[in-house]
Amino acid sequence: MSKVATVTQRDRYLGELLEQAALSAKQSPLGLDTLRAAARALVQERTFPSNRDEDWRFTDLSSMLEMSFQAPGALKDSVIAEAKQQLANISLGDTARLVFVNGIFADSLSNVGDGTSVLSQAEATPDALAQIQGSNEVFTALNTAGFTDAAVLHIKKNTAIEQPIQIVYLTIGNGLFVQPRCLVVAEAGSAVTLVEEFHGSGASFTNSVSEVWVHDNAEVTHLRLQQESSEAVHIGKTAVSQARDSRYRNTAFIFGAGISRHNLEVYQTGPQTETELTGLTAVRDKQLADTHSLIALSHPHGTANQLQKNIMDDRAHGVFNGRVYVPHQAQLTNASQLNRNLLLSSKSRIDTKPELDIVADNVKCAHGATVSQLAPDEMFYLQSRGINRDQAQRLLIYAFAMEIIEPITVAPLRERMNQYIQQWTV
């Protein structure tokens, strides 16, 4: 197939996705005509990504062109019943919880608490929606053009929400095109912990967008888990805007989907901001998992630390591309970035590209990446203490992952991740 034909095919496929997004938008009571029209125009100006694009060089989406996805219809009782069964295994206890099934808010499964609402039921559309940088990216614009309902967290000034708020996105069915949306506004001096979870069964396409506004001296702890079917495709965007003296912590777990990508973008818009990003990816078989991150500092005295760990088994393919941008005005910045990768199979693969783009001359920045297999001397030490080879391997993988899991402050989620890694290593 020629390059022209390939571009034509991708344009046609993107157009089909846009048509399905329009059908989902018709189910939404939000209106948002002006915002959606602008988003549709952006999508129409772009082409479905290929590995000829630098940002997608290691993430091949061509297999999606053979897959057909449809907008979900109204929720049936059987779908709600199945969703209820899945929720029983991922409950965080007596906390506020918003549940979206196939992109549609499920009121009967949710527990709306203080500071939480659903955009489809809100009195007015928040001005902060689709305003963070990066909204012009093709999949982000596609989501804006077609999301049905959205979770909204508005934490009032000087208010600390003690219990975590859980948002669960469930995709139930085959061939569905689902676009979850979340908006978090943490006003000055507020604090909140958000747990976002993506689960699903069957072949589906999830295109999610989460926007987080962290105002002056506010603190947001954001835990994100993607554990969808190995037949699914998942593309997610997390865009964060941090004002002065704010603190944002993100921990992302990627275990599911046949093809997945998480675009994590943090924009420090004030001085003395603190950003901490950690992540754990564990995939096997022929899964492809991509983490693309950007930390853009624009004021003095900013700090940013990132640790991304990847575990690849069988024929799995992992990608990490992390960029830290420090312009001239961001003096006295302290930033570090580290990507550590563990390959359990000779056929597994990792493409890692940590980047520092520094213009300021009075900064302390460092980055690095490691790619290794299980250390033979560590395996030998454990075996010399009477531990068999399989058990020794499981212990080392478990220890590698615990650096990301152990700091989780939400005990039920920490225990669930702990158990998952133990089972994964069997």
Side-chain angles (χ1 to χ4, degrees):
M1 183 177 292
S2 67
K3 179 180 177 182
V4 173
T6 301
V7 171
T8 301
Q9 183 183 12
R10 292 177 184 276
D11 285 343
R12 184 183 301 114
Y13 188 76
L14 185 59
E16 292 172 356
L17 290 177
L18 189 57
E19 289 178 4
Q20 296 303 316
L23 293 177
S24 294
K26 288 181 179 180
Q27 299 181 44
S28 173
L30 301 174
L32 304 177
D33 294 341
T34 301
L35 186 65
R36 292 194 192 277
R40 285 195 299 270
L42 285 171
V43 175
Q44 291 169 346
E45 293 173 358
R46 285 158 174 73
T47 299
F48 191 82
S50 75
N51 52 14
R52 295 176 182 271
D53 303 316
E54 180 61 27
D55 283 345
W56 295 86
R57 185 155 59 101
F58 300 117
T59 305
D60 186 4
L61 300 180
S62 60
S63 61
M64 284 185 65
L65 303 179
E66 306 300 323
M67 306 168 70
S68 178
F69 300 106
Q70 306 294 324
L75 297 180
K76 299 180 180 179
D77 292 341
S78 59
V79 172
I80 293 295
E82 183 175 344
K84 188 175 183 179
Q85 291 179 350
Q86 293 190 25
L87 285 173
N89 299 321
I90 60 175
S91 173
L92 298 183
D94 187 19
T95 64
R97 182 176 70 187
L98 301 179
V99 180
F100 295 80
V101 181
N102 297 342
I104 301 171
F105 178 62
D107 190 23
S108 62
L109 303 177
S110 301
N111 176 25
V112 180
D114 294 339
T116 66
S117 62
V118 181
L119 191 53
S120 63
Q121 300 176 343
E123 295 180 0
T125 301
D127 295 335
L129 187 68
Q131 298 303 311
I132 296 180
Q133 295 183 54
S135 296
N136 293 344
E137 185 268 332
V138 61
F139 287 110
T140 305
L142 185 62
N143 180 288
T144 302
F147 73 88
T148 304
D149 291 334
V152 179
L153 276 61
H154 193 151
I155 315 304
K156 295 181 180 180
K157 185 177 180 179
N158 297 325
T159 299
I161 306 297
E162 295 182 0
Q163 295 295 320
I165 297 174
Q166 184 184 31
I167 302 179
V168 181
Y169 308 101
L170 299 175
T171 302
I172 299 176
N174 284 304
L176 298 180
F177 176 32
V178 179
Q179 301 204 93
R181 188 78 178 216
C182 178
L183 174 65
V184 180
V185 179
E187 293 189 3
S190 65
V192 66
T193 296
L194 167 65
V195 180
E196 273 192 303
E197 301 196 35
F198 300 83
H199 300 272
S201 58
S204 61
F205 175 29
T206 298
N207 178 38
S208 73
V209 174
S210 298
E211 301 170 286
V212 183
W213 295 86
V214 193
H215 289 284
D216 295 355
N217 197 35
E219 180 173 344
V220 174
T221 299
H222 188 179
L223 306 170
R224 186 183 193 274
L225 168 63
Q226 187 273 110
Q227 202 170 6
E228 295 181 304
S229 163
S230 60
E231 299 176 322
V233 177
H234 180 103
I235 296 177
K237 162 71 77 65
T238 301
V240 183
S241 177
Q242 284 189 257
R244 64 176 304 137
D245 300 308
S246 65
R247 297 164 300 284
Y248 175 76
R249 299 177 179 87
N250 181 292
T251 301
F253 296 97
I254 299 176
F255 300 145
I259 299 174
S260 68
R261 172 158 167 154
H262 183 209
N263 296 294
L264 175 55
E265 301 175 1
V266 180
Y267 301 93
Q268 294 189 355
T269 62
Q272 301 184 144
T273 48
E274 299 178 14
T275 303
E276 182 176 338
L277 310 180
T278 57
L280 175 65
T281 296
V283 290
R284 52 168 42 123
D285 297 325
K286 295 183 179 180
Q287 288 179 272
L288 188 159
D290 180 353
T291 296
H292 262 62
S293 66
L294 166 67
I295 305 175
L297 301 94
S298 57
H299 290 78
H301 299 284
T303 63
N305 296 291
Q306 181 175 20
L307 173 61
Q308 174 68 35
K309 287 192 166 187
N310 299 321
I311 307 173
M312 305 289 129
D313 200 2
D314 302 322
R315 294 177 178 268
H317 178 194
V319 180
F320 173 75
N321 192 154
R323 182 186 177 206
V324 178
Y325 176 57
V326 187
H328 179 74
Q329 60 267 33
Q331 301 291 341
L332 301 172
T333 287
N334 188 340
S336 66
Q337 181 185 73
L338 178 61
N339 175 219
R340 297 185 62 192
N341 303 281
L342 186 59
L343 304 184
L344 303 180
S345 166
S346 60
K347 295 181 180 180
S348 59
R349 171 186 169 190
I350 184 74
D351 290 293
T352 178
K353 187 183 177 185
E355 300 179 48
L356 289 179
D357 188 348
I358 303 174
V359 179
D361 53 11
N362 187 10
V363 299
K364 182 180 179 181
C365 297
H367 68 165
T370 63
V371 180
S372 64
Q373 297 177 323
L374 294 175
D377 56 340
E378 294 177 352
M379 289 286 293
F380 175 78
Y381 175 82
L382 292 174
Q383 289 179 277
S384 70
R385 295 300 186 269
I387 300 174
N388 66 42
R389 182 176 179 81
D390 289 342
Q391 290 176 327
Q393 176 173 298
R394 289 197 292 270
L395 280 173
L396 292 175
I397 296 172
Y398 180 80
F400 182 84
M402 280 304 102
E403 187 175 2
I404 306 299
I405 295 175
E406 192 61 31
I408 296 176
T409 57
V410 182
L413 180 64
R414 181 177 65 246
E415 181 60 27
R416 195 175 354 134
M417 295 300 92
N418 192 328
Q419 293 178 359
Y420 179 82
I421 289 298
Q422 292 184 48
Q423 296 171 0
W424 194 87
T425 58
V426 176

